Amino acid sequence: MRILMVEDAEDLAEGVIAHLARSGIVCDLARSIEDARDCRAVQQYEAVILDINLPDGSGLSLLREMRGGGDRTPVLMLTALSSVDDRVMALDQGADDYLGKPFDQRELEARLRALVRRETDRKQE
């Protein structure tokens, strides 16, 4: 499985990437919306982990851009914004799942596996 993590907190991103690598999951890191666009232009991903607060804007704008362009790649929002309103807004704009920080690495990995499994099943129908 290859995923894209869009996260500007370097220590958090490195921890997630190391944990996922131990499970055989390849994770590319984009530290901004622009970096994420560049990564997506040259690589297909089975899922995207997306923060909301990024240095060059809101991750929600990237999410809207993806969905507006017909991209159905599963997106898991991983953010410190964890109010019900924040979660509802992201889900209504096309996020497939939402996990607030702090989080347990095992739960993040399980949610990614579930998202990818559902998308794989959908494509096989």
Side-chain angles (χ1 to χ4, degrees):
M1 176 185 330
R2 184 178 202 109
I3 63 167
L4 175 63
M5 181 171 200
V6 186
E7 172 64 61
D8 63 325
E10 194 167 325
D11 55 340
L12 171 74
E14 288 175 0
V16 168
I17 290 169
H19 178 84
L20 294 175
R22 286 191 292 275
S23 298
I25 299 171
V26 176
C27 185
D28 294 339
L29 176 61
R31 291 186 174 90
S32 67
I33 294 169
E34 193 59 38
D35 288 349
R37 286 182 184 126
D38 291 344
C39 289
R40 293 181 60 249
V42 297
Q43 178 68 51
Q44 287 191 332
Y45 295 98
E46 293 179 71
V48 175
I49 300 172
L50 182 58
D51 191 7
I52 291 178
N53 293 319
L54 294 162
D56 56 348
S58 170
L60 293 175
S61 66
L62 178 62
L63 176 63
R64 284 190 299 273
E65 182 180 307
M66 290 172 64
R67 296 305 186 236
D71 186 340
R72 294 182 50 97
T73 303
V75 175
L76 186 152
M77 304 303 296
L78 183 65
T79 179
L81 301 176
S82 58
S83 73
V84 172
D85 288 341
D86 293 323
R87 293 190 307 262
V88 168
M89 182 186 330
L91 292 166
D92 281 348
Q93 291 185 36
D96 297 283
D97 202 354
Y98 196 107
L99 187 59
K101 298 175 188 173
F103 60 94
D104 187 293
Q105 294 273 12
R106 296 168 301 169
E107 182 180 7
L108 173 65
E109 185 178 342
R111 287 173 181 255
L112 282 172
R113 285 192 310 264
L115 288 174
V116 170
R117 183 175 56 247
R118 278 185 289 219
E119 183 62 14
T120 301
D121 291 348
R122 184 193 68 78
K123 286 179 179 178
Q124 292 174 354
E125 292 176 350

